[in-house]
Amino acid sequence: MAATKKPLNIVKMKKMKENKDPITMLTAYDYPSAVLAEEAGVDIILVGDSLGNAVLGYNSTIPVTIDDMVYHSRAVARGAQSTFIVTDMPFMTYHGGIDESLKGVRRIMQEGHAHAVKLEGGAEIADTVRAVVKAGVPVLGHIGLTPQSVNQIGGFRVQGKDAADAKRLLEDAKALEEAGAFAIVLELVTEAVAEAISNELSIPTIGIGAGRGTDGQVLVFHDVLQYASPYMPKRFVKTYADVGTIIRDSIGNYVQDVKNKSFPAEEHVFTAEDGVVDSLYGSSKAKVENRS
Ligand code: KIV
């Protein structure tokens, strides 16, 4: 599909914050979801490592590899040529030194065709963020609940509940801004703290489970559509369709139709020229006669 308009860029995103124009971000992991997200008008598509849970069947993002991210990012890029695409650097691919991190970033950009990468972590990864930005690659930060560190955090806990945690989050956000991140995802952060961080920064914040005071919102494609079975409801998600039920019921109807022979019906079949079958029998008869 040819691109019809130019994707958003990081300069315009900052303007959107200044103009209080909310930034919309949605994950997508393959060609059709990317096409649909673009047609629906999302500002940014995130090829999140949540694809580990959403489409690969893992119970965390930890097993996701850089090959997985490149593969899915490339499919998304084919489907959404007019949308700004951010692709996640997966678990432990940016902790082995700057050179190692840049190798992974190169793959995401050159092979995965993303416009930017997302890295989880705060002040502790600021030097890496700085190096990636210096290499010319926009970086989206991600603090609060960072799923790649879920074992270190001790579960999927809301962040920023007390003063010490709020201070740590603000310091992390400032460190990322200072390192050159173009925006920061705030995941599962209390509303007041997320709003305070958003007010302190000149770059946009994009919240998930972080309330109403951020500069944008991000949700996971499969959560928005309840595209999972079983679907696990989450307090911070608003679902807009129950696609899982639609898919299950539709496939069930297909199975029933085949079993009771109502599919294929007249309108699904192709017809041959008159006499084709007779000619087949005729030629096979002739063959038999020739042999005897
Ligand atoms: O991987 C992902 O989908 C994410 C979002 C939840 C922000 O990081």
Side-chain angles (χ1 to χ4, degrees):
M1 194 195 285
T4 48
K5 70 174 176 64
K6 278 193 178 163
L8 191 63
N9 60 56
I10 64 172
V11 177
K12 286 193 183 144
M13 285 176 215
K14 210 166 173 189
K15 279 261 168 298
M16 287 173 81
K17 175 180 174 107
E18 285 159 19
N19 295 337
K20 301 203 179 310
D21 177 8
I23 298 170
T24 57
M25 181 157 93
L26 182 71
T27 69
Y29 313 111
D30 59 13
Y31 179 86
S33 59
V35 171
L36 291 167
E38 176 163 291
E39 286 174 354
V42 302
D43 294 315
I44 305 172
I45 290 179
L46 172 65
V47 187
D49 61 354
S50 53
L51 66 84
N53 308 71
V55 299
L56 297 182
Y58 298 132
N59 59 13
S60 80
T61 59
I62 291 172
V64 176
T65 66
I66 198 112
D67 284 342
D68 294 330
M69 296 312 300
V70 166
Y71 179 85
H72 287 273
S73 184
R74 195 158 37 189
V76 167
R78 279 195 292 269
Q81 296 183 20
S82 298
T83 307
F84 191 85
I85 296 168
V86 181
T87 298
D88 261 332
M89 291 289 289
F91 181 69
M92 291 286 286
T93 56
Y94 47 99
H95 298 90
I98 301 292
D99 286 352
E100 198 55 33
S101 305
L102 290 178
K103 274 187 200 154
V105 170
R106 184 198 65 71
R107 291 201 60 202
I108 297 287
M109 300 297 287
Q110 282 193 318
E111 299 172 40
H113 302 163
H115 298 103
V117 294
K118 177 163 78 58
L119 271 53
E120 292 184 8
E124 76 284 2
I125 61 153
D127 286 344
T128 307
V129 171
R130 198 170 288 109
V132 176
V133 172
K134 204 168 161 200
V137 176
V139 173
L140 176 60
H142 182 164
I143 59 172
L145 187 280
T146 43
Q148 291 171 16
S149 319
V150 67
N151 295 318
Q152 174 74 18
I153 294 169
F156 289 85
R157 295 160 185 278
V158 175
Q159 307 287 300
K161 281 190 162 176
D162 59 38
D165 209 30
K167 183 168 179 286
R168 175 186 62 83
L169 286 168
L170 180 58
E171 283 167 5
D172 280 340
K174 284 188 166 168
L176 292 173
E177 175 173 47
E178 192 270 322
F182 72 86
I184 301 178
V185 168
L186 302 178
E187 179 165 354
L188 274 196
V189 176
T190 53
E191 184 171 54
V193 172
E195 185 166 5
I197 292 172
S198 306
N199 291 340
E200 283 291 318
L201 302 183
S202 66
I203 57 172
T205 57
I206 303 179
I208 174 163
R212 293 159 287 190
T214 55
D215 302 303
Q217 298 290 332
V218 53
L219 283 177
V220 167
F221 188 93
H222 290 58
D223 285 342
V224 169
L225 300 174
Q226 288 196 38
Y227 183 10
S229 184
Y231 176 71
M232 301 295 187
K234 300 172 186 85
R235 171 156 176 201
F236 57 88
V237 169
K238 180 171 175 186
T239 55
Y240 290 82
D242 184 358
V243 164
T245 300
I246 294 171
I247 292 176
R248 190 185 310 104
D249 289 354
S250 306
I251 296 172
N253 289 340
Y254 159 68
V255 170
Q256 275 315 109
D257 281 359
V258 173
K259 295 283 184 198
N260 66 28
K261 303 192 176 168
S262 60
F263 174 80
E266 184 67 29
E267 65 269 29
H268 305 119
V269 302
F270 303 100
T271 46
E273 287 171 8
D274 287 350
V276 163
V277 175
D278 284 349
S279 78
L280 281 178
Y281 287 132
S283 62
S284 60
K285 213 169 146 200
K287 258 189 198 163
V288 174
E289 278 164 6
N290 283 346
R291 257 192 250 133
S292 57

